[in-house]
Amino acid sequence: MKHQATPYFTFNGQAMDALNYYKEVFGGEITDVQTFGEAQFETPKELDEQIMHARFKAGDLFFMVSDAFLDQKVEVGSNISLALELESTEEIQSIYDRLKEEGTVLMELQDTFWNATFAKVKDRFGITWDLNFSKE
C-alpha cells in the first residue's frame, strides 16, 4: 500500500454543500472537483451537477467525497468508506479476492476511465473498502 487509508464520504446529493461546510469549519481547500456531467461516461442528466469525486485538505486533515449514484442511496452513519491506494495489479487482486470471500462486492474489480483498476467491497463486518491501483 502506498499510504494510510483515506476516509471517503458519500452523500445523497449534498457533497458540495458538505465540502463548503467543512471548508468553513476547518479552513483548507477543496480540490480535484469533478461532476458526473464532466465524467467520460454516460450518466443521467439529473446527476450532471453532482460531485463524482473531490478532495479536501486542511493541514494534515485529508479526505475525499462524492455523491451517490442514482440507485445507490446511502444512509447517514454508513456513508463512509476507506480508500486504499495500492501498488500493483497483484496487490489489488489479492486484497479484492480476500475481501469478497465473505463480503459483498459493490463494484467489480475493473479498469476505469481514470486510468486505474478499481473495486468497492463491503467486508464481512460491514466496512466498505475502495480499492484503487493507479496505472500512471
Side-chain angles (χ1 to χ4, degrees):
M1 279 172 253
K2 293 185 178 180
H3 49 73
Q4 185 67 21
T6 303
Y8 204 116
F9 304 118
T10 305
F11 298 92
N12 290 316
Q14 308 94 354
M16 187 51 78
D17 291 340
L19 283 166
N20 288 322
Y21 170 75
Y22 295 133
K23 185 174 181 176
E24 284 181 31
V25 171
F26 301 115
E29 64 179 322
I30 300 165
T31 64
D32 302 315
V33 176
Q34 182 180 33
T35 65
F36 282 99
E38 295 168 336
Q40 295 176 358
F41 68 96
E42 195 170 320
T43 56
K45 284 284 183 206
E46 54 264 43
L47 288 179
D48 278 357
E49 298 304 314
Q50 292 192 12
I51 303 300
M52 185 179 138
H53 180 75
R55 298 171 186 251
F56 180 85
K57 182 156 179 50
D60 289 338
L61 175 64
F62 176 71
F63 56 85
M64 297 181 284
V65 305
S66 70
D67 283 310
F69 207 71
L70 287 179
D71 59 347
Q72 300 174 341
K73 296 295 181 201
V74 294
E75 291 183 37
V76 174
S78 66
N79 56 333
I80 183 171
S81 60
L82 295 173
L84 294 177
E85 281 296 329
L86 301 165
E87 297 191 53
S88 68
T89 304
E90 295 78 20
E91 185 179 36
I92 194 171
Q93 186 70 56
S94 175
I95 291 171
Y96 173 75
D97 288 343
R98 285 183 273 165
L99 284 172
K100 76 176 190 170
E101 277 180 22
E102 296 183 56
T104 304
V105 173
L106 302 175
M107 184 175 173
E108 293 284 341
L109 185 66
Q110 61 189 272
D111 290 332
T112 64
F113 71 88
W114 64 85
N115 201 27
T117 301
F118 181 85
K120 186 184 246 344
V121 182
K122 184 180 287 190
D123 71 21
R124 66 186 184 131
F125 298 103
I127 305 300
T128 301
W129 297 91
D130 295 341
L131 309 175
N132 194 74
F133 167 60
S134 179
K135 298 176 183 181
E136 296 176 344

